PDB file of all heavy atoms in Angstrom:
ATOM      1  N   THR B 127     -76.199  13.696  96.383  1.00  0.00           N
ATOM      2  CA  THR B 127     -74.744  13.897  96.322  1.00  0.00           C
ATOM      3  C   THR B 127     -74.077  12.634  95.791  1.00  0.00           C
ATOM      4  O   THR B 127     -74.725  11.592  95.653  1.00  0.00           O
ATOM      5  CB  THR B 127     -74.165  14.195  97.731  1.00  0.00           C
ATOM      6  OG1 THR B 127     -74.250  12.989  98.508  1.00  0.00           O
ATOM      7  CG2 THR B 127     -74.945  15.291  98.429  1.00  0.00           C
ATOM      8  N   ASP B 128     -72.762  12.733  95.524  1.00  0.00           N
ATOM      9  CA  ASP B 128     -72.031  11.552  95.062  1.00  0.00           C
ATOM     10  C   ASP B 128     -71.964  10.483  96.140  1.00  0.00           C
ATOM     11  O   ASP B 128     -71.734   9.310  95.856  1.00  0.00           O
ATOM     12  CB  ASP B 128     -70.608  11.942  94.635  1.00  0.00           C
ATOM     13  CG  ASP B 128     -70.632  12.735  93.338  1.00  0.00           C
ATOM     14  OD1 ASP B 128     -71.637  12.631  92.610  1.00  0.00           O
ATOM     15  OD2 ASP B 128     -69.660  13.474  93.078  1.00  0.00           O
ATOM     16  N   ASP B 129     -72.121  10.921  97.390  1.00  0.00           N
ATOM     17  CA  ASP B 129     -72.060   9.978  98.511  1.00  0.00           C
ATOM     18  C   ASP B 129     -73.439   9.460  98.905  1.00  0.00           C
ATOM     19  O   ASP B 129     -73.627   8.958 100.015  1.00  0.00           O
ATOM     20  CB  ASP B 129     -71.409  10.653  99.730  1.00  0.00           C
ATOM     21  CG  ASP B 129     -69.912  10.805  99.552  1.00  0.00           C
ATOM     22  OD1 ASP B 129     -69.365  10.125  98.667  1.00  0.00           O
ATOM     23  OD2 ASP B 129     -69.304  11.597 100.294  1.00  0.00           O
ATOM     24  N   GLN B 130     -74.398   9.568  98.011  1.00  0.00           N
ATOM     25  CA  GLN B 130     -75.751   9.116  98.339  1.00  0.00           C
ATOM     26  C   GLN B 130     -75.752   7.602  98.619  1.00  0.00           C
ATOM     27  O   GLN B 130     -75.158   6.827  97.884  1.00  0.00           O
ATOM     28  CB  GLN B 130     -76.697   9.399  97.174  1.00  0.00           C
ATOM     29  CG  GLN B 130     -78.116   8.899  97.415  1.00  0.00           C
ATOM     30  CD  GLN B 130     -79.043   9.273  96.271  1.00  0.00           C
ATOM     31  OE1 GLN B 130     -79.353  10.447  96.085  1.00  0.00           O
ATOM     32  NE2 GLN B 130     -79.445   8.286  95.514  1.00  0.00           N
ATOM     33  N   ASP B 131     -76.411   7.221  99.716  1.00  0.00           N
ATOM     34  CA  ASP B 131     -76.555   5.805 100.056  1.00  0.00           C
ATOM     35  C   ASP B 131     -78.023   5.494 100.266  1.00  0.00           C
ATOM     36  O   ASP B 131     -78.739   6.261 100.930  1.00  0.00           O
ATOM     37  CB  ASP B 131     -75.801   5.476 101.353  1.00  0.00           C
ATOM     38  CG  ASP B 131     -74.301   5.440 101.155  1.00  0.00           C
ATOM     39  OD1 ASP B 131     -73.867   4.940 100.119  1.00  0.00           O
ATOM     40  OD2 ASP B 131     -73.589   5.930 102.044  1.00  0.00           O
ATOM     41  N   LEU B 132     -78.432   4.374  99.727  1.00  0.00           N
ATOM     42  CA  LEU B 132     -79.803   3.913  99.942  1.00  0.00           C
ATOM     43  C   LEU B 132     -79.709   2.586 100.703  1.00  0.00           C
ATOM     44  O   LEU B 132     -79.052   1.649 100.253  1.00  0.00           O
ATOM     45  CB  LEU B 132     -80.479   3.719  98.591  1.00  0.00           C
ATOM     46  CG  LEU B 132     -81.967   3.413  98.608  1.00  0.00           C
ATOM     47  CD1 LEU B 132     -82.616   4.017  97.377  1.00  0.00           C
ATOM     48  CD2 LEU B 132     -82.215   1.931  98.629  1.00  0.00           C
ATOM     49  N   VAL B 133     -80.305   2.549 101.887  1.00  0.00           N
ATOM     50  CA  VAL B 133     -80.253   1.339 102.712  1.00  0.00           C
ATOM     51  C   VAL B 133     -81.619   0.656 102.650  1.00  0.00           C
ATOM     52  O   VAL B 133     -82.636   1.263 102.988  1.00  0.00           O
ATOM     53  CB  VAL B 133     -79.885   1.678 104.184  1.00  0.00           C
ATOM     54  CG1 VAL B 133     -79.747   0.403 105.001  1.00  0.00           C
ATOM     55  CG2 VAL B 133     -78.595   2.479 104.243  1.00  0.00           C
ATOM     56  N   PHE B 134     -81.615  -0.601 102.204  1.00  0.00           N
ATOM     57  CA  PHE B 134     -82.866  -1.351 102.042  1.00  0.00           C
ATOM     58  C   PHE B 134     -82.851  -2.566 102.963  1.00  0.00           C
ATOM     59  O   PHE B 134     -81.841  -3.261 103.083  1.00  0.00           O
ATOM     60  CB  PHE B 134     -83.009  -1.808 100.590  1.00  0.00           C
ATOM     61  CG  PHE B 134     -84.103  -2.824 100.387  1.00  0.00           C
ATOM     62  CD1 PHE B 134     -85.428  -2.508 100.648  1.00  0.00           C
ATOM     63  CD2 PHE B 134     -83.809  -4.106  99.940  1.00  0.00           C
ATOM     64  CE1 PHE B 134     -86.430  -3.452 100.467  1.00  0.00           C
ATOM     65  CE2 PHE B 134     -84.802  -5.050  99.752  1.00  0.00           C
ATOM     66  CZ  PHE B 134     -86.112  -4.726 100.019  1.00  0.00           C
ATOM     67  N   PHE B 135     -84.002  -2.802 103.582  1.00  0.00           N
ATOM     68  CA  PHE B 135     -84.101  -3.878 104.567  1.00  0.00           C
ATOM     69  C   PHE B 135     -85.485  -4.492 104.492  1.00  0.00           C
ATOM     70  O   PHE B 135     -86.476  -3.787 104.386  1.00  0.00           O
ATOM     71  CB  PHE B 135     -83.839  -3.233 105.927  1.00  0.00           C
ATOM     72  CG  PHE B 135     -84.265  -4.017 107.116  1.00  0.00           C
ATOM     73  CD1 PHE B 135     -83.466  -5.033 107.618  1.00  0.00           C
ATOM     74  CD2 PHE B 135     -85.451  -3.736 107.770  1.00  0.00           C
ATOM     75  CE1 PHE B 135     -83.850  -5.743 108.737  1.00  0.00           C
ATOM     76  CE2 PHE B 135     -85.834  -4.434 108.886  1.00  0.00           C
ATOM     77  CZ  PHE B 135     -85.032  -5.440 109.372  1.00  0.00           C
ATOM     78  N   GLU B 136     -85.535  -5.820 104.481  1.00  0.00           N
ATOM     79  CA  GLU B 136     -86.846  -6.493 104.516  1.00  0.00           C
ATOM     80  C   GLU B 136     -86.781  -7.666 105.479  1.00  0.00           C
ATOM     81  O   GLU B 136     -85.832  -8.453 105.447  1.00  0.00           O
ATOM     82  CB  GLU B 136     -87.232  -7.001 103.121  1.00  0.00           C
ATOM     83  CG  GLU B 136     -88.597  -7.687 103.109  1.00  0.00           C
ATOM     84  CD  GLU B 136     -88.962  -8.268 101.750  1.00  0.00           C
ATOM     85  OE1 GLU B 136     -88.768  -7.576 100.731  1.00  0.00           O
ATOM     86  OE2 GLU B 136     -89.424  -9.424 101.717  1.00  0.00           O
ATOM     87  N   GLN B 137     -87.771  -7.764 106.335  1.00  0.00           N
ATOM     88  CA  GLN B 137     -87.800  -8.904 107.243  1.00  0.00           C
ATOM     89  C   GLN B 137     -89.071  -9.734 107.019  1.00  0.00           C
ATOM     90  O   GLN B 137     -89.999  -9.304 106.333  1.00  0.00           O
ATOM     91  CB  GLN B 137     -87.671  -8.467 108.694  1.00  0.00           C
ATOM     92  CG  GLN B 137     -88.840  -7.672 109.232  1.00  0.00           C
ATOM     93  CD  GLN B 137     -88.667  -7.318 110.704  1.00  0.00           C
ATOM     94  OE1 GLN B 137     -87.558  -7.081 111.162  1.00  0.00           O
ATOM     95  NE2 GLN B 137     -89.771  -7.273 111.438  1.00  0.00           N
ATOM     96  N   ALA B 138     -89.060 -10.950 107.589  1.00  0.00           N
ATOM     97  CA  ALA B 138     -90.150 -11.904 107.317  1.00  0.00           C
ATOM     98  C   ALA B 138     -91.489 -11.411 107.867  1.00  0.00           C
ATOM     99  O   ALA B 138     -92.517 -11.506 107.215  1.00  0.00           O
ATOM    100  CB  ALA B 138     -89.801 -13.251 107.922  1.00  0.00           C
ATOM    101  N   ARG B 139     -91.453 -10.874 109.082  1.00  0.00           N
ATOM    102  CA  ARG B 139     -92.715 -10.410 109.673  1.00  0.00           C
ATOM    103  C   ARG B 139     -92.867  -8.900 109.446  1.00  0.00           C
ATOM    104  O   ARG B 139     -91.860  -8.211 109.235  1.00  0.00           O
ATOM    105  CB  ARG B 139     -92.763 -10.736 111.160  1.00  0.00           C
ATOM    106  CG  ARG B 139     -91.617 -10.167 111.963  1.00  0.00           C
ATOM    107  CD  ARG B 139     -91.788 -10.397 113.452  1.00  0.00           C
ATOM    108  NE  ARG B 139     -91.179 -11.623 113.925  1.00  0.00           N
ATOM    109  CZ  ARG B 139     -91.177 -11.998 115.201  1.00  0.00           C
ATOM    110  NH1 ARG B 139     -91.766 -11.260 116.120  1.00  0.00           N
ATOM    111  NH2 ARG B 139     -90.592 -13.108 115.577  1.00  0.00           N
ATOM    112  N   PRO B 140     -94.097  -8.394 109.472  1.00  0.00           N
ATOM    113  CA  PRO B 140     -94.263  -6.940 109.296  1.00  0.00           C
ATOM    114  C   PRO B 140     -93.462  -6.180 110.352  1.00  0.00           C
ATOM    115  O   PRO B 140     -93.360  -6.620 111.497  1.00  0.00           O
ATOM    116  CB  PRO B 140     -95.765  -6.733 109.488  1.00  0.00           C
ATOM    117  CG  PRO B 140     -96.372  -8.056 109.235  1.00  0.00           C
ATOM    118  CD  PRO B 140     -95.374  -9.088 109.667  1.00  0.00           C
ATOM    119  N   LEU B 141     -92.916  -5.060 109.956  1.00  0.00           N
ATOM    120  CA  LEU B 141     -92.078  -4.271 110.870  1.00  0.00           C
ATOM    121  C   LEU B 141     -92.929  -3.641 111.960  1.00  0.00           C
ATOM    122  O   LEU B 141     -93.949  -3.001 111.670  1.00  0.00           O
ATOM    123  CB  LEU B 141     -91.386  -3.152 110.091  1.00  0.00           C
ATOM    124  CG  LEU B 141     -90.227  -3.561 109.204  1.00  0.00           C
ATOM    125  CD1 LEU B 141     -90.029  -2.548 108.103  1.00  0.00           C
ATOM    126  CD2 LEU B 141     -88.973  -3.689 110.030  1.00  0.00           C
ATOM    127  N   ASP B 142     -92.521  -3.810 113.207  1.00  0.00           N
ATOM    128  CA  ASP B 142     -93.200  -3.084 114.287  1.00  0.00           C
ATOM    129  C   ASP B 142     -92.352  -1.855 114.628  1.00  0.00           C
ATOM    130  O   ASP B 142     -91.281  -1.646 114.064  1.00  0.00           O
ATOM    131  CB  ASP B 142     -93.436  -3.992 115.500  1.00  0.00           C
ATOM    132  CG  ASP B 142     -92.142  -4.541 116.077  1.00  0.00           C
ATOM    133  OD1 ASP B 142     -91.063  -4.078 115.664  1.00  0.00           O
ATOM    134  OD2 ASP B 142     -92.212  -5.423 116.942  1.00  0.00           O
ATOM    135  N   SER B 143     -92.851  -1.058 115.573  1.00  0.00           N
ATOM    136  CA  SER B 143     -92.151   0.201 115.852  1.00  0.00           C
ATOM    137  C   SER B 143     -90.758  -0.053 116.418  1.00  0.00           C
ATOM    138  O   SER B 143     -89.827   0.687 116.151  1.00  0.00           O
ATOM    139  CB  SER B 143     -92.964   1.059 116.823  1.00  0.00           C
ATOM    140  OG  SER B 143     -93.147   0.346 118.014  1.00  0.00           O
ATOM    141  N   ARG B 144     -90.606  -1.142 117.183  1.00  0.00           N
ATOM    142  CA  ARG B 144     -89.290  -1.422 117.766  1.00  0.00           C
ATOM    143  C   ARG B 144     -88.270  -1.727 116.669  1.00  0.00           C
ATOM    144  O   ARG B 144     -87.166  -1.178 116.666  1.00  0.00           O
ATOM    145  CB  ARG B 144     -89.377  -2.595 118.736  1.00  0.00           C
ATOM    146  CG  ARG B 144     -88.005  -3.036 119.231  1.00  0.00           C
ATOM    147  CD  ARG B 144     -88.084  -4.221 120.143  1.00  0.00           C
ATOM    148  NE  ARG B 144     -88.685  -3.852 121.413  1.00  0.00           N
ATOM    149  CZ  ARG B 144     -89.362  -4.696 122.184  1.00  0.00           C
ATOM    150  NH1 ARG B 144     -89.563  -5.927 121.783  1.00  0.00           N
ATOM    151  NH2 ARG B 144     -89.858  -4.300 123.322  1.00  0.00           N
ATOM    152  N   ALA B 145     -88.674  -2.606 115.748  1.00  0.00           N
ATOM    153  CA  ALA B 145     -87.746  -2.966 114.669  1.00  0.00           C
ATOM    154  C   ALA B 145     -87.401  -1.739 113.823  1.00  0.00           C
ATOM    155  O   ALA B 145     -86.243  -1.534 113.449  1.00  0.00           O
ATOM    156  CB  ALA B 145     -88.347  -4.067 113.804  1.00  0.00           C
ATOM    157  N   CYS B 146     -88.420  -0.901 113.543  1.00  0.00           N
ATOM    158  CA  CYS B 146     -88.176   0.333 112.763  1.00  0.00           C
ATOM    159  C   CYS B 146     -87.181   1.230 113.473  1.00  0.00           C
ATOM    160  O   CYS B 146     -86.232   1.737 112.878  1.00  0.00           O
ATOM    161  CB  CYS B 146     -89.468   1.115 112.591  1.00  0.00           C
ATOM    162  SG  CYS B 146     -90.471   0.504 111.271  1.00  0.00           S
ATOM    163  N   ARG B 147     -87.432   1.410 114.782  1.00  0.00           N
ATOM    164  CA  ARG B 147     -86.583   2.288 115.596  1.00  0.00           C
ATOM    165  C   ARG B 147     -85.143   1.783 115.561  1.00  0.00           C
ATOM    166  O   ARG B 147     -84.213   2.530 115.285  1.00  0.00           O
ATOM    167  CB  ARG B 147     -87.135   2.244 117.022  1.00  0.00           C
ATOM    168  CG  ARG B 147     -86.797   3.389 117.881  1.00  0.00           C
ATOM    169  CD  ARG B 147     -87.689   3.472 119.099  1.00  0.00           C
ATOM    170  NE  ARG B 147     -87.848   2.240 119.847  1.00  0.00           N
ATOM    171  CZ  ARG B 147     -89.031   1.687 120.127  1.00  0.00           C
ATOM    172  NH1 ARG B 147     -90.135   2.232 119.715  1.00  0.00           N
ATOM    173  NH2 ARG B 147     -89.110   0.582 120.841  1.00  0.00           N
TER     174      ARG B 147
END
Side-chain angles (χ1 to χ4, degrees):
Chain B
T127 70
D128 289 339
D129 286 343
Q130 177 177 291
D131 286 320
L132 188 147
V133 184
F134 168 63
F135 163 82
E136 181 183 315
Q137 67 178 34
R139 57 174 91 178
L141 285 156
D142 60 10
S143 59
R144 173 182 290 152
C146 278
R147 202 163 49 235

